[in-house]
Amino acid sequence: MKKFYSNNKLLIIALVLLLGLFLFDSNKGIEATKSAVYNFKSVGMILPPIFILIGLLDVWVPKEVMVKFMGHGSGLKGGAIAVFLGAVGAGPLVVSFPIAALLIKKGARLAYVFLFLGAWTSVKLPIFMFELANFGYKFTTLHVISSMTIYYIGAIILEKTMSPKAKAIMEEKANKYA
Amino acid sequence: MLNGFLYFVVLFFLLFSLVKDGKKTKMALKKAWKSMMKNIMMIMGMMILMGVVFKVIDPETIGSFFGKESGLFGIFAGLGIGSFAFIPSFIAFPLGAQLIENGAGYPQVAGFISSLMGVGLISITMEVEYFGKQAAITRNAFAVLASVVFVVLVGVII
């Protein structure tokens, strides 16, 4: 029972909150359920291809190759690959977590994994044209440059300050989810 | 359309993999299924959470905070509300465009969409589950910083 709870903590918390909303205002509860179902459908559409991609990567890309391209000695190239992967990735950040877990599992440099997450949340190729058209080139350029700079600094700092124990926990979690 | 492209690319890789090595492909699919099952409960929880949050605070009331005259208050409101939930960029940007069309200021909307995409106080439990406490908190803190810097730049330059 305890294990079931810790494995599904988020789902249980969400269901409790939803129940609370129902008790508070049943109309809002119904609407929330509808939008949850809708959200899940739209994310559900991209889950199978993303996880198939993760599976293929896991099987076809050996650890040495990942280390070579995104590991500690990969330099600028590794960072560029991380940003590229984040920028082309489709879907909400939720989807990027298992991908990041796979990168960690395969030996990618921690700073690059976080750069990947940073790019995923700020620079999106599929949305780039939309941003450009609706917000203008100044806004878009500022957005891309400022966020990537901060995320780069953050990635380096995180890698430097993380304790070996925290890193070990992270690797353990990565093996669990990827 | 985006989904179609994704499916097309994955199908291409899958066929390529199948031609090269059937056994490995089978293994990849097994792994894909297994890891999807391991992640799906959490993703489902997240979707329910989002549903609840956006019925409690709906986008229209949010928009009323962001007028051009809302100044610093609007900026902080944008950053604050945006920090609660995670929203993918393909929803956040159209939402931001709509807000601007309705008279919202650029810095306010910049802070709102940037924190909306990068900071997720609600989903931080999930992030901790994947990466541990320290990493999750640091990443979110830097996402806040990135949003603040972006707001300042937009405010000064645009």
Side-chain angles (χ1 to χ4, degrees):
Chain A
M1 187 63 204
K2 203 172 164 218
K3 196 170 170 239
F4 179 80
Y5 174 74
S6 68
N7 278 343
N8 300 297
K9 200 161 41 181
L10 192 76
L11 182 63
I12 292 168
I13 293 173
L15 285 173
V16 169
L17 284 177
L18 183 63
L19 191 68
L21 187 64
F22 256 110
L23 294 176
F24 180 71
D25 182 342
S26 59
N27 276 335
K28 283 210 167 184
I30 292 169
E31 274 178 44
T33 311
K34 272 188 195 156
S35 80
V37 170
Y38 174 79
N39 285 347
F40 190 71
K41 266 191 199 154
S42 58
V43 174
M45 279 292 286
I46 57 174
L47 288 184
I50 294 276
F51 278 100
I52 289 176
L53 217 51
I54 290 178
L56 287 172
L57 273 172
D58 201 359
V59 170
W60 282 105
V61 180
K63 204 166 172 172
E64 306 83 64
V65 174
M66 182 68 89
V67 171
K68 190 177 156 219
F69 281 98
M70 289 184 80
H72 260 277
S74 61
L76 219 60
K77 183 178 63 185
I81 294 173
V83 173
F84 176 76
L85 283 179
V88 294
L93 194 68
V94 179
V95 177
S96 75
F97 291 158
I99 301 176
L102 180 77
L103 294 179
I104 295 171
K105 182 179 148 191
K106 288 274 175 184
R109 188 179 162 183
L110 215 55
Y112 294 156
V113 175
F114 281 88
L115 202 56
F116 159 76
L117 290 176
W120 187 292
T121 55
S122 52
V123 187
K124 293 259 83 149
L125 282 186
I127 205 77
F128 194 64
M129 294 317 286
F130 181 89
E131 187 179 357
L132 215 54
N134 282 279
F135 294 89
Y137 78 95
K138 264 190 189 168
F139 188 94
T140 310
T141 321
L142 285 178
H143 176 216
V144 172
I145 291 179
S146 67
S147 46
M148 283 330 295
T149 311
I150 301 288
Y151 281 125
Y152 181 74
I153 297 169
I156 299 292
I157 289 180
L158 183 71
E159 192 183 67
K160 286 233 159 81
T161 55
M162 232 173 144
S163 65
K165 199 180 147 214
K167 278 184 188 162
I169 291 175
M170 199 156 123
E171 270 160 31
E172 195 186 300
K173 285 174 186 287
N175 280 322
K176 182 175 161 196
Y177 284 109
Chain B
M1 190 201 81
L2 216 66
N3 283 346
F5 180 70
L6 185 65
Y7 272 86
F8 179 79
V9 169
V10 171
L11 201 66
F12 175 79
F13 280 129
L14 198 60
L15 284 177
F16 189 73
S17 168
L18 199 65
V19 171
K20 282 216 115 178
D21 191 333
K23 235 181 174 174
K24 265 191 165 178
T25 309
K26 212 176 140 191
M27 221 158 80
L29 285 176
K30 255 192 195 157
K31 277 197 170 168
W33 177 255
K34 255 173 75 185
S35 78
M36 189 161 99
M37 286 304 116
K38 263 188 281 180
N39 287 282
I40 209 158
M41 285 303 201
M42 241 189 302
I43 294 174
M44 216 145 77
M46 206 59 234
M47 294 305 126
I48 295 175
L49 222 48
M50 290 297 183
V52 173
V53 169
F54 280 98
K55 284 307 151 200
V56 178
I57 42 165
D58 61 300
E60 274 152 45
T61 18
I62 296 173
S64 60
F65 292 125
F66 299 154
K68 278 201 181 83
E69 291 75 38
S70 60
L72 265 183
F73 169 77
I75 289 176
F76 281 116
L79 284 170
I81 301 169
S83 296
F84 267 102
F86 252 141
I87 292 196
S89 49
F90 59 86
I91 299 173
F93 275 113
L95 181 63
Q98 204 187 343
L99 289 173
I100 287 200
E101 219 170 87
N102 292 333
Y106 272 96
Q108 287 83 358
V109 171
F112 180 56
I113 55 177
S114 173
S115 55
L116 210 48
M117 292 186 294
V119 191
L121 293 182
I122 291 170
S123 52
I124 209 163
T125 39
M126 180 172 174
E127 233 178 306
V128 169
E129 194 44 46
Y130 277 99
F131 306 115
K133 251 191 205 129
Q134 194 190 354
I137 292 172
T138 314
R139 199 205 63 75
N140 277 278
F142 272 95
V144 172
L145 182 66
S147 304
V148 171
V149 170
F150 180 42
V151 169
V152 173
L153 288 174
V154 168
V156 172
I157 297 179
I158 295 182

